[in-house]
Amino acid sequence: MTTTLTTTLSNLAGRVRPGDNHERDGGRRRLTTSGALLVVAGALLLLSLVRVVTGEDSITSTQQWVSAMTFAVPIGLAGLGGLWAERSGVVNIGLEGMMMLGLFAAGWIGWQHGPWAAVAAGIVGGVLGGLVHALATVTFGVDHIVSGVAINILALGVVQFLAKLWFGEEGSAASAAGGNDKQSPQMERLEPFTVPGISDGLGDIADRHWFLVSDAAGILRAGVTNVSWLTLLAVLLFVGSYFLLWRSAFGLRLRSCGENPEATESLGVNVYFYKYVALAVSGGLAGLAGAYLAVLIRMYQDGQTGGRGYLGLATMIFGNWRPGGVAAGAGLFGFMDALQTREAATVHAMLLLFSLGLLVLAVWQFTRGKRAAAATSVVLAGLLCLWYATTDSIPRELITASPYLATLLVLALFSQRLRTPRAVGRTYRRGQAR
């Protein structure tokens, strides 16, 4: 009986049968480990080439990639939260609001009890938001988009009201400690860690500016130098999510709820329970993303989420609803976000990088028979190359908007390879026939 249940759920969730030669998703071949390594090597080669041509050493400097990783973590956690929700069949547009709840809860608890208490409070705040979304969508059948938008609006109003009440009230302990209606008092600093020996060794290699080798050393050094403990926690959550969702019976049942909940229920699985669990985890991850921001700047600050919940949704779509893809998307958007902290010349050099990247993409698309898409990529590459050749700088407004422009471009180029969970967004009622 157990074997039959597992086999049936495997088919519902789209898992590969033992006889398959290649792992597929929705009829399309997934990126293998060797393919992923090849993509990473190609990206590193492009970065090295652009660094040499433009003379902008900061492109592959440790500082640039530390900043990119800092910006990528909250986006990635929000995207992972969206993945949990949508793999169970529920669209979670409310990630931004859940991040706000986590940010506020972390700021409120953190200044009183320290950064680790802030992290726990942020997770709890996000879980509460996720459970509200579950109550509305799973129990009462509210449209998923309507519920998510409502949570975003409600969360914004709640945190602003409570900030005025708890932080901005004159004579209160929070006000005396430096809080006001826009921010909480500062919490203690969560000290980062550096791996001794390895960090210095990679730094020495990076300073030699050797082609490819020094670039790789500079980027790798970002992973062992001044790393936040929450970044390490985020990495463990991505790895854990992969094994839990794709290598366990629990994950198989949860993903089946997002593929065919009626058939899954007929096999004795409590679909409501798995959807509630998925949304609680989704909210908790978004809340942790908000807590990360609070710990990073050591306080709650109004507007600090800055739309990163929506960027998280974009990473989930870009990553084809898989943890590895979400992590790659978060890295890309984090890199773009970090450009705001760099010098104008470094940002200008990115035009050449993206132009070369689009040319490589065009070649790949052409070999797969997608000639229209390849032509579009070539045109965009030419425009970016012309922009680079005829200008010396980029307007600051475009730099600020670069993460969102990159989101639109990436989703437009990769929309053809996406395969959403089949039942995502569909209202499900217990006992109903399909």
Side-chain angles (χ1 to χ4, degrees):
M1 178 64 182
T2 303
T3 303
T4 302
L5 175 63
T6 302
T7 303
T8 306
L9 289 174
S10 298
N11 293 332
L12 290 174
R15 287 186 65 179
V16 180
R17 293 184 294 273
D20 289 343
N21 294 324
H22 300 284
E23 192 176 7
R24 295 178 180 269
D25 192 354
R28 292 180 173 84
R29 186 178 299 177
R30 294 181 190 150
L31 186 65
T32 62
T33 302
S34 58
L37 292 175
L38 184 63
V39 170
V40 171
L44 179 59
L45 180 61
L46 287 179
L47 286 168
S48 301
L49 182 62
V50 171
R51 178 187 66 81
V52 172
V53 171
T54 62
E56 293 296 326
D57 294 335
S58 61
I59 291 176
T60 56
S61 67
T62 299
Q63 292 78 12
Q64 166 65 24
W65 289 89
V66 167
S67 298
M69 190 163 55
T70 299
F71 284 107
V73 169
I75 297 174
L77 287 172
L80 188 62
L83 182 150
W84 270 83
E86 298 209 3
R87 278 295 180 177
S88 73
V90 181
V91 177
N92 191 359
I93 298 294
L95 289 170
E96 180 76 8
M98 295 169 197
M99 282 186 69
M100 293 180 194
L101 294 174
L103 173 69
F104 177 83
W108 176 40
I109 296 296
W111 76 275
Q112 304 175 73
H113 303 289
W116 285 112
V119 171
I123 294 173
V124 171
V127 168
L128 292 177
L131 290 177
V132 169
H133 190 45
L135 181 67
T137 58
V138 179
T139 301
F140 294 111
V142 176
D143 182 89
H144 300 185
I145 304 298
V146 172
S147 175
V149 171
I151 287 176
N152 289 337
I153 297 173
L154 181 64
L156 178 61
V158 167
V159 299
Q160 289 181 342
F161 170 74
L162 292 179
K164 292 179 181 179
L165 184 64
W166 292 347
F167 302 147
E169 185 177 352
E170 294 186 8
S172 65
S175 179
N180 56 54
D181 59 354
K182 297 295 183 182
Q183 66 183 42
S184 67
Q186 283 196 337
M187 68 180 76
E188 296 177 5
R189 174 180 167 83
L190 181 62
E191 295 295 337
F193 70 90
T194 297
V195 180
I198 297 179
S199 176
D200 294 336
L202 290 174
D204 291 339
I205 297 175
D207 291 339
R208 297 180 183 275
H209 302 300
W210 293 331
F211 180 76
L212 204 62
V213 176
S214 294
D215 299 302
I219 295 172
L220 290 174
R221 187 168 180 256
V224 294
T225 306
N226 292 327
V227 181
S228 170
W229 290 100
L230 297 186
T231 299
L232 180 60
L233 176 60
V235 172
L236 294 176
L237 287 172
F238 269 90
V239 175
S241 293
Y242 169 75
F243 281 101
L244 191 58
L245 290 176
W246 272 269
R247 292 293 183 267
S248 73
F250 168 83
L252 181 57
R253 291 181 174 88
L254 187 145
R255 289 186 294 118
S256 297
C257 293
E259 297 291 336
N260 193 331
E262 295 85 4
T264 303
E265 181 191 24
S266 71
L267 296 172
V269 176
N270 188 337
V271 175
Y272 277 20
F273 169 76
Y274 281 92
K275 288 179 179 287
Y276 262 86
V277 170
L279 284 171
V281 174
S282 176
L285 289 168
L288 177 59
Y292 178 91
L293 294 173
V295 171
L296 179 67
I297 64 173
R298 299 173 58 196
M299 67 175 71
Y300 155 81
Q301 193 172 68
D302 187 33
Q304 179 64 17
T305 56
R308 289 181 175 86
Y310 301 113
L311 287 178
L313 283 173
T315 65
M316 176 196 68
I317 298 171
F318 167 79
N320 215 3
W321 289 265
R322 296 184 68 85
V326 173
L332 172 62
F333 298 137
F335 181 83
M336 297 299 298
D337 217 356
L339 291 179
Q340 301 178 42
T341 65
R342 312 310 298 173
E343 297 179 356
T346 301
V347 180
H348 185 251
M350 291 297 102
L351 293 175
L352 182 59
L353 175 65
F354 296 143
S355 177
L356 294 175
L358 285 170
L359 285 176
V360 173
L361 177 63
V363 173
W364 177 77
Q365 290 171 329
F366 185 81
T367 59
R368 294 175 62 86
K370 300 179 180 179
R371 298 188 177 182
T376 301
S377 298
V378 169
V379 171
L380 289 174
L383 291 174
L384 288 177
C385 188
L386 180 63
W387 189 0
Y388 172 78
T390 56
T391 60
D392 295 323
S393 62
I394 296 178
R396 177 58 58 180
E397 293 79 9
L398 281 179
I399 298 174
T400 303
S402 60
Y404 309 101
L405 295 175
T407 300
L408 294 174
L409 179 62
V410 166
L411 294 182
L413 291 174
F414 291 94
S415 60
Q416 298 301 315
R417 61 176 289 273
L418 303 179
R419 209 285 282 173
T420 64
R422 291 184 180 88
V424 68
R426 180 158 57 87
T427 301
Y428 163 77
R429 311 306 300 163
R430 180 180 287 145
Q432 73 180 12
R434 185 172 182 181

